[in-house]
Amino acid sequence: DREVVESLHRSTMGVDQDYVSLLHHASRCALADGWGGSMIGTELQDVMFGTPTPARGEINLGVLKEDQVNLVVHGHEPLLSEMVAAAATMPEILEEAKKAGAKGVNVAGICCTANELLMRHGIPVAGNFLSQELAIGTGAVDLMCVDVQCIMQSLTEVVKGFHTKLITTSEKARLPGVEHVQMDESKALEVAKQVVRKAIEAFKCRKGKTVHIPKDKGEVVVGFSHETINYMLGGRFRASYRPLNDNIINGRIRGVVGVVGCTNPKVCHDFGHTTLMRELIKRDILVVTTGCAQIACGKQSLMTPEAAEFAGPGLREICETVGIPPVLAVGSCVDNSRILVACAEMVREGGLGQDLSDLPIAGACLEHITEKAISIGQYFVASGALVVFAKKLFPVLPGSKVAKYLFEDIAEEFGGRWAVEDDAVKAADLIHAHIEAKRDALGINQERERKLYDMEDRRKLEVK
């Protein structure tokens, strides 16, 4: 909070007028966001609701059900969605749904709250940011419950064409003319029951209305928290990132890239994320993903162990041995801090340099739309990573001093830098070249002759 307040002060008329000074403070603010706010948020969510472990689920509009009450939770605050999910399975609520003519209550998610529910409870995801109007357009959504962030203002008009009820639940995110049900943490379950009952009432109004639910849905395996990756690589007694580091050193895995972020109506929906991911795994680069990007690749079934067939031979071998997908679903936007923890663990494990900036890693978001995406990108840059955004969406004037600083000079200070590229394949080329350069600097691209030691050779070894 203190860093944000100082940002407002520095950018007030007549205060800080040096772009390098402003961007230095922007880096401090971003680092506080990533290593502070987001990381604490993730840790506390794991304390309250449980650390995610691998679970199967389904993604896309095909998860909606014509014979059940469809309640869609949308936003970024897991407390409400967790309680709604719990309330929807209570016998008394199910009995009310049956009396209304439904076979049950089907809870589905949109955006990051969907990722939270999917990885902890296997609750299906209806779609990402640009899918929220489409979900209502199926005519099958009885109630959409929203909290904060990524809520389209157009929803208030879209629901007028359908029986769908829209309600807000956060004091910070009201919509004009929309019923508000305030989430009260002291009686969260009671509020959630109230929300579910409103969905059941709305279901009664669906009778006789046109419903079109697409059949499309993809299967996914999600829930790859730092703790899960540690366990899957090393087992219960030797949990460790050593196998990951060893396979980066031996070249089966060339590096690791985080593909994260939003979907933006100015570019082809999901295309940037999914094309980039396909290109990267084809080149033996392991991908971790969060947010709307995670949902995008889930629709195309890139987050299942079977997707290893799209990976290069080295990455495929690792995925088949461990039983993981080539694209690991890490969670919601706040869970980008899990990627920071993983990177720090790779450095701590040893063999890949002394700093995060030495690692053969990168980040990318080719469809960003929110302000927080810039902050997320900056805290990875300030931590030492290359971060690639779409050129047409990046809010910096090309050829300016600020652009030169962000794309070149900042690397001398932090070890990381920004890059921009609209074409997903060219972005993959750029990232691949960066990873290979990091491998060269570490000396792990050099061919080494395998030496088999006999007893005489062993006697010559010095023990330090």
Side-chain angles (χ1 to χ4, degrees):
D1 185 70
R2 181 241 184 275
E3 301 296 340
V4 173
V5 170
E6 184 171 329
S7 296
L8 294 171
H9 182 207
R10 284 172 176 264
S11 56
T12 299
M13 189 279 293
V15 188
D16 200 342
Q17 298 166 51
D18 180 349
Y19 69 93
V20 175
S21 175
L22 281 166
L23 289 170
H24 278 172
H25 183 71
S27 296
R28 285 194 290 273
C29 196
L31 287 167
D33 176 20
W35 293 93
S38 290
M39 194 168 288
I40 291 170
T42 292
E43 293 293 337
L44 293 179
Q45 286 175 194
D46 286 354
V47 169
M48 290 189 291
F49 308 124
T51 300
T53 55
R56 285 192 175 269
E58 294 180 326
I59 284 180
N60 219 337
L61 293 174
V63 304
L64 299 174
K65 297 179 180 180
E66 192 166 353
D67 57 357
Q68 294 193 28
V69 176
N70 289 304
L71 195 166
V72 173
V73 288
H74 174 21
H76 290 76
E77 294 184 342
L79 176 61
L80 172 67
S81 55
E82 285 277 341
M83 294 298 99
V84 167
T89 61
M90 298 180 74
E92 62 190 270
I93 296 292
L94 292 175
E95 187 60 33
E96 290 178 32
K98 289 177 182 178
K99 287 180 179 179
K103 290 185 177 180
V105 178
N106 178 42
V107 178
I110 295 280
C111 267
C112 281
T113 197
N115 287 323
E116 298 282 358
L117 286 176
L118 175 61
M119 66 184 180
R120 289 192 175 90
H121 306 294
I123 287 174
V125 176
N128 47 21
F129 175 67
L130 290 183
S131 304
Q132 57 191 280
E133 294 171 313
L134 301 177
I136 295 172
T138 64
V141 175
D142 300 301
L143 183 142
M144 182 175 284
C145 174
V146 305
D147 47 63
V148 299
Q149 292 188 20
C150 299
I151 313 303
M152 289 185 178
Q153 291 173 310
S154 60
L155 293 182
T156 58
E157 293 299 314
V158 175
V159 294
K160 292 178 181 178
F162 302 89
H163 79 289
T164 306
K165 187 171 185 60
L166 178 66
I167 63 171
T168 58
T169 58
S170 172
E171 192 60 46
K172 297 188 289 287
R174 299 273 196 139
L175 291 170
V178 172
E179 182 181 352
H180 183 77
V181 178
Q182 182 62 41
M183 167 49 72
D184 183 342
E185 290 82 358
S186 65
K187 47 182 180 181
L189 187 57
E190 290 306 312
V191 175
K193 287 181 183 179
Q194 184 181 351
V195 170
V196 178
R197 287 187 170 114
K198 288 180 180 295
I200 293 171
E201 286 301 312
F203 172 81
K204 298 175 182 177
C205 301
R206 197 204 304 174
K207 188 175 181 180
K209 303 289 178 65
T210 301
V211 173
H212 175 71
I213 301 174
K215 295 180 180 179
D216 304 272
K217 58 183 176 181
E219 289 191 354
V220 294
V221 176
V222 299
F224 290 94
S225 60
H226 154 68
E227 292 81 0
T228 290
I229 295 172
N230 210 27
Y231 167 74
M232 292 193 75
L233 291 174
R236 178 173 296 178
F237 300 107
R238 294 184 179 179
S240 169
Y241 273 59
R242 189 73 254 162
L244 174 61
N245 282 23
D246 283 347
N247 281 289
I248 291 175
I249 292 168
N250 68 32
R252 286 188 178 88
I253 298 175
R254 307 307 293 176
V256 181
V257 175
V259 181
V260 305
C262 325
T263 52
N264 191 312
K266 293 183 178 180
V267 295
C268 183
H269 189 196
D270 294 345
F271 181 80
H273 295 314
T274 55
T275 303
L276 178 60
M277 290 187 217
R278 287 180 181 276
E279 284 294 322
L280 291 173
I281 64 174
K282 187 168 66 177
R283 304 175 194 211
D284 288 321
I285 297 171
L286 179 67
V287 172
V288 292
T289 183
T290 64
C292 285
Q294 175 175 303
I295 297 172
C297 70
K299 294 178 197 173
Q300 295 198 15
S301 299
L302 291 174
M303 298 191 305
T304 62
E306 292 79 9
E309 66 176 287
F310 303 119
L315 178 57
R316 178 174 182 173
E317 182 182 354
I318 302 302
C319 291
E320 290 176 345
T321 301
V322 181
I324 58 174
V327 178
L328 300 180
V330 178
S332 64
C333 290
V334 73
D335 293 325
N336 282 310
S337 58
R338 297 190 197 275
I339 303 175
L340 290 176
V341 172
C343 291
E345 187 67 15
M346 289 166 66
V347 175
R348 190 198 67 79
E349 188 60 44
L352 292 174
Q354 302 300 315
D355 186 79
L356 195 145
S357 61
D358 296 328
L359 297 174
I361 62 169
C365 176
L366 301 187
E367 300 184 35
H368 105 271
I369 191 171
T370 67
E371 300 91 333
K372 67 179 178 182
I374 298 292
S375 177
I376 292 166
Q378 186 64 15
Y379 70 63
F380 273 97
V381 168
S383 298
L386 169 73
V387 174
V388 184
F389 270 41
K391 186 175 183 180
K392 70 175 71 172
L393 303 176
F394 199 66
V396 173
L397 190 65
S400 64
K401 290 180 180 180
V402 170
K404 183 179 184 301
Y405 176 76
L406 292 176
F407 300 153
E408 300 174 25
D409 300 345
I410 196 172
E412 297 176 11
E413 298 175 341
F414 297 110
R417 66 180 179 88
W418 287 92
V420 289
E421 178 55 63
D422 291 331
D423 185 289
V425 177
K426 291 181 180 178
D429 292 338
L430 190 160
I431 291 169
H432 191 190
H434 170 79
I435 284 174
E436 293 303 323
K438 290 294 183 181
R439 294 179 61 86
D440 288 338
L442 290 167
I444 58 178
N445 270 347
Q446 297 176 7
E447 290 287 339
R448 290 183 175 85
E449 182 181 352
R450 187 179 180 189
K451 172 69 174 176
L452 296 177
Y453 285 81
D454 57 22
M455 188 55 67
E456 185 177 347
D457 292 324
R458 292 174 185 272
R459 291 194 184 102
K460 294 177 182 177
L461 292 175
E462 295 182 7
V463 179
K464 295 183 180 180

